[in-house]
Amino acid sequence: VSNSLYKLSSSIFSISASKFLSSFFIIFCCSFFISVIILFIFVSLISTMFYNFNISGKEVERRSEAVNIAVSEIEQIKINGFSQLINNDISCEKKAVDGKDGYYKTITVEDYADVNTNETKQRDVVKRVKVKITYKFKNQEQNVELSTILSKES
C-alpha cells in the first residue's frame, strides 16, 4: 500500500511540477517578448528624435550660409560704389555662387523713380538692390532675400 501511495504521490507531483514549469516558461516568454517590444519602441523614439534634431540643425546651417552669402554680396555692392548701379552691371539671374556648391544668386537693381511712377522723381539718385539666394533642402527650393537702398553720394 505504501508503495502504491508513493507512486501516486510522485505521479501527482510530477504532473504539477511539469505544469508549473510549463506555466513558468510561458510567463517568461511573454515577459521577454514584451520587454523586447518596449525596448524596440524606445530605440525607435530615440533614433527618430536624433534624426529630427540633426535635420533641423542642417536646415539652420544651410539657411545661415545663405544669409551670409546675401550679406557679403550686399557689402560687395556697397564697396564697389554707386556708379556700378547706374550702369546696371551687377544684375544677374540665378547665377552660381563662387565657392559655394548648391547656392544660386539673383541680383536685381531698381531705380527708385521706377518704384512709384511719379514724373517728378529724378532718375539715378536712389537705387534699391535685392539679393536673392536660392538653395535646395530636402528636395525643395528654399530662398533667402535681402534688400538695401543705396543713394548717390553728393
Side-chain angles (χ1 to χ4, degrees):
V1 174
S2 78
N3 193 13
S4 64
L5 223 80
Y6 175 73
K7 285 183 181 179
L8 181 66
S9 68
S10 67
S11 66
I12 291 174
F13 180 73
S14 67
I15 291 173
S16 49
S18 67
K19 284 184 180 181
F20 173 76
L21 288 176
S22 65
S23 65
F24 178 76
F25 181 73
I26 291 172
I27 292 171
F28 174 75
C29 288
C30 289
S31 63
F32 176 76
F33 287 123
I34 289 172
S35 300
V36 168
I37 290 171
I38 290 172
L39 182 68
F40 179 74
I41 289 171
F42 280 126
V43 168
S44 299
L45 285 174
I46 290 171
S47 63
T48 302
M49 288 184 339
F50 180 74
Y51 174 76
N52 288 337
F53 179 75
N54 192 19
I55 288 297
S56 65
K58 286 183 181 181
E59 181 179 8
V60 169
E61 183 181 328
R62 296 275 292 170
R63 185 165 185 78
S64 297
E65 184 66 29
V67 169
N68 288 339
I69 293 168
V71 168
S72 67
E73 289 291 330
I74 287 175
E75 291 298 321
Q76 190 62 41
I77 291 167
K78 287 180 179 180
I79 290 170
N80 291 340
F82 193 79
S83 61
Q84 181 184 3
L85 298 176
I86 294 173
N87 300 333
N88 207 7
D89 293 336
I90 62 166
S91 292
C92 65
E93 190 68 35
K94 208 153 187 182
K95 182 180 174 186
V97 176
D98 296 332
K100 304 288 182 183
D101 291 335
Y103 292 95
Y104 299 94
K105 64 181 176 182
T106 302
I107 300 174
T108 56
V109 178
E110 279 183 301
D111 198 320
Y112 183 68
D114 295 337
V115 174
N116 295 330
T117 55
N118 189 348
E119 307 271 328
T120 61
K121 293 181 185 172
Q122 216 176 11
R123 296 190 66 72
D124 295 330
V125 176
V126 177
K127 301 271 188 175
R128 179 170 51 179
V129 179
K130 289 183 184 178
V131 177
K132 181 179 177 183
I133 306 297
T134 306
Y135 62 96
K136 281 200 170 191
F137 184 75
K138 284 185 163 179
N139 224 10
Q140 293 178 349
E141 199 169 271
Q142 306 288 329
N143 298 315
V144 170
E145 187 171 328
L146 297 178
S147 64
T148 188
I149 296 176
L150 300 174
S151 62
K152 188 176 189 178
E153 294 85 21
S154 303

